[in-house]
Amino acid sequence: MGIIGGGPAGLMLSHLLARRGIDSVVVDDRTYTEIEQTVRAGILEADSVRMLVDTGVSDRVLREGDQHAGIELGFDGQLARIDFAGLVGSSVWLYPQTDVFVDLAAARSRDGGDVRFGVSDTIVDDLDAELPVLRFADADGARHEIRCRLLVGADGSRSMCRHRIPEDRRQQSFREYPFAWFGILCEASKSAPELVYSHSERGFALISQRTEAMQRMYFQCDPDTDVDAWSDDRIWAELQARVNVNGLELIEGPITSRTVLRFRSFVCEPMRYGRLLLAGDAAHTVPPTGAKGLNLALADVRVLAESISQFLASGLDRHLDDYSRRALQRVWKAQHFSYWMTSMLHLPVERSSFDLRRQQAELRSVVESRAASAYLAECYTGWPR
Ligand code: DHB
């Protein structure tokens, strides 16, 4: 098995396949340090946590992660809690994606997995042949050509693998958004015990956390925002203005990282062409509101490991189609949820009092209706397998 991409999706797949006795080689053109140092999202669904623990990757998430039994929604001068535990008997964990990556890479290394970071000239070919080929050059320049039973593109949103599928054999659905998130890391203690999703007249803000001493926050901005034009003081003033209306005051501290995250919804269907399968961001992207990206990638590879093992045992292509069909059902539910959370919480660019008041009423409808709150809780904590 050849797996292109050594992020959480590729590494988890390799780990799950190894547990089924299936060998794989994982290649990534980024170095270990590059991946480890990229700031990514931080929320794991309960099933994602179970997958890490129950398949023997690591139980560090249980010791160092923070279990969150709800979130706060801030709007129209108030904070309202969505009680995941009470509504749907579930919860999520705050545990950064980079830690998931570190745990998975350590588990692969511990179990003797073949994972190569820092490769170059990666190419996949003969995708509709019986044995497709993976070519790459190692970090030391040695060239390799490996014939594999299957190839898996887990190579992120700019996926080289996806682009190798003929255009007339993939349907791509897109949505662009006219806003982005300004994301920061700061040295401060926690401003709130759980995540706060705050709707305001100045636009959306999200108060998240990392550790006791380091926090992660975001606010809605123009996609062309120049982060260098924003001083610490200006960032804090903007964040405070967006949460104060809802009765929250943030604990401030030095800002150590600032980036603009663009929003996109994207799906490539089917998630299979010949002997190539796509997983995670290579096949789909969601806007970050709702924190579904990493969870979807892990859900993909859980189904994929099963389908690959059935395919190898039977030689029947239908198991590969089954993977795409099953994975896409969850992908589209997550697309809808991420789109809904995004459109409910972010102010349109041409903001009118109608938009503002309608969104406030939508949020009020959600928090005052047990059914609507339970729906949000169900989606946020993750759908059953
Ligand atoms: C984080 C990111 C998200 O997109 C989200 O919805 C919640 C939390 C985070 O980085 O902590």
Side-chain angles (χ1 to χ4, degrees):
M1 201 72 42
I3 301 175
I4 299 87
L11 292 178
M12 181 56 103
L13 178 63
S14 173
H15 173 74
L16 295 177
L17 291 174
R19 284 169 54 84
R20 292 173 178 269
I22 302 167
D23 284 340
S24 62
V25 52
V26 181
V27 297
D28 199 303
D29 56 9
R30 298 165 299 174
T31 64
Y32 177 92
T33 314
E34 272 165 10
I35 304 179
E36 189 197 14
Q37 288 179 352
T38 310
V39 183
R40 304 295 297 265
I43 290 289
L44 290 180
E45 294 172 0
D47 266 353
S48 300
V49 170
R50 270 194 282 273
M51 198 185 329
L52 287 171
V53 176
D54 294 352
T55 69
V57 173
S58 166
D59 64 358
R60 189 162 71 104
V61 53
L62 301 179
R63 286 177 279 112
E64 295 179 23
D66 261 340
Q67 188 169 16
H68 285 189
I71 55 167
E72 297 276 355
L73 290 178
F75 62 97
D76 201 12
Q78 67 173 80
L79 284 175
R81 184 162 184 269
I82 304 287
D83 173 13
F84 298 158
L87 288 161
V88 294
S90 191
S91 59
V92 295
W93 291 74
L94 185 92
Y95 189 66
Q97 176 166 334
T98 37
D99 287 298
V100 174
F101 166 73
V102 167
D103 291 349
L104 281 164
R108 285 286 56 218
S109 166
R110 175 196 69 200
D111 299 343
D114 186 349
V115 181
R116 306 177 194 205
F117 294 106
V119 305
S120 55
D121 300 334
T122 308
I123 195 79
V124 295
D125 219 341
D126 297 345
L127 300 181
D128 37 22
E130 197 65 23
L131 291 176
V133 66
L134 166 63
R135 296 194 191 91
F136 62 95
D138 262 339
D140 61 13
R143 292 190 172 272
H144 300 273
E145 177 169 312
I146 307 177
R147 292 271 162 195
C148 304
R149 292 291 303 275
L150 294 169
L151 295 173
V152 176
D155 51 344
S157 53
R158 283 193 284 268
S159 177
M160 169 277 289
C161 293
R162 184 179 70 238
H163 287 101
R164 302 287 297 171
I165 302 177
E167 271 180 45
D168 61 352
R169 299 296 297 275
R170 54 183 148 109
Q171 179 186 333
Q172 307 206 129
S173 309
F174 268 111
R175 186 180 184 95
E176 299 276 358
Y177 298 80
F179 38 74
W181 277 3
F182 194 121
I184 64 157
L185 275 176
C186 63
E187 289 168 9
S189 41
K190 288 182 188 169
S191 293
E194 292 175 338
L195 268 60
V196 182
Y197 287 78
S198 182
H199 174 267
S200 88
E201 279 183 31
R202 299 183 67 92
F204 172 70
L206 170 60
I207 311 308
S208 183
Q209 298 110 14
R210 283 297 176 265
T211 62
E212 289 305 322
M214 184 72 77
Q215 312 308 324
R216 181 89 167 132
M217 301 179 190
Y218 305 92
F219 61 91
Q220 177 184 353
C221 68
D222 186 281
D224 296 320
T225 301
D226 170 15
V227 290
D228 296 326
W230 285 72
S231 66
D232 281 22
D233 283 351
R234 187 174 170 209
I235 292 171
W236 283 118
E238 192 57 45
L239 279 166
Q240 296 285 16
R242 293 184 189 203
V243 301
N244 272 352
V245 280
N246 299 320
L248 191 69
E249 188 167 343
L250 302 174
I251 300 171
E252 301 183 5
I255 293 170
T256 56
S257 151
R258 57 192 78 200
T259 37
V260 169
L261 287 79
R262 285 179 171 257
F263 275 45
R264 229 158 59 114
S265 299
F266 168 71
V267 184
C268 170
E269 304 179 69
M271 292 165 62
R272 171 205 172 191
Y273 170 74
R275 293 284 181 262
L276 171 71
L277 301 125
L278 300 177
D281 283 356
H284 42 75
T285 311
V286 287
T289 332
K292 281 283 167 259
L294 170 59
N295 294 294
L296 269 187
L298 294 176
D300 278 356
V301 299
R302 177 171 50 215
V303 177
L304 184 52
E306 209 176 290
S307 298
I308 287 177
S309 138
Q310 288 166 339
F311 169 79
L312 292 177
S314 68
L316 296 173
D317 269 28
R318 74 173 158 82
H319 295 298
L320 305 179
D321 291 327
D322 267 1
Y323 158 64
S324 176
R325 191 184 45 74
R326 285 174 63 195
L328 282 166
Q329 284 178 2
R330 175 181 291 258
V331 166
W332 275 108
K333 282 198 281 192
Q335 287 292 353
H336 169 64
F337 175 63
S338 308
Y339 168 86
W340 174 54
M341 287 285 278
T342 300
S343 61
M344 177 165 66
L345 289 160
H346 292 72
L347 283 187
V349 177
E350 302 280 322
R351 54 196 67 170
S352 68
S353 63
F354 179 83
D355 294 319
L356 181 79
R357 303 290 287 146
R358 191 202 59 76
Q359 284 176 323
Q360 287 171 341
E362 184 175 10
L363 284 156
R364 191 171 302 284
S365 306
V366 169
V367 305
E368 287 180 0
S369 153
R370 189 178 167 89
S373 296
Y375 171 72
L376 193 157
E378 211 171 85
C379 299
Y380 199 101
T381 55
W383 301 277
R385 296 175 195 184

